[in-house]
Amino acid sequence: MTHYIFDMDGTLFQTNAVLSHALEEVFQELRQTGRWEGETPVALYQQIMGVSLPEV
C-alpha cells in the first residue's frame, strides 16, 4: 500500500525548500513520456505558493 501526504500550506514541510527539486523530477518524467515539452515552470509554481485556491 502506498500513501501520499499533501501539505499544500507548508505546515508539515518547508515546501519552498523542496519545490524546485520535486518539480524537476516530475516534469522530467513528463518530458520522457511525451506529456510535457519545454522547461520546468518552477517560477510559476513559486508565484502561486501561499495563494488561495480561488485566486490560483
Side-chain angles (χ1 to χ4, degrees), residues 23-38:
L23 286 175
E24 289 295 345
E25 286 189 19
V26 168
F27 279 87
Q28 181 61 29
E29 175 71 22
L30 293 173
R31 284 189 284 274
Q32 289 175 349
T33 59
R35 295 182 286 172
W36 183 263
E37 293 181 11

Side-chain angles (χ1 to χ4, degrees), residues 4-15:
Y4 297 94
I5 297 173
F6 291 93
D7 178 36
M8 303 304 286
D9 64 357
T11 302
L12 299 175
F13 303 102
Q14 292 180 347
T15 306

Side-chain angles (χ1 to χ4, degrees), residues 3 11-12 15 20 23 33 38 42 44-45 47 50-51 53 55:
H3 295 79
T11 302
L12 299 175
T15 306
S20 294
L23 286 175
T33 59
V42 175
L44 176 62
Y45 279 82
Q47 289 175 357
V51 176
L53 188 56
E55 290 180 77

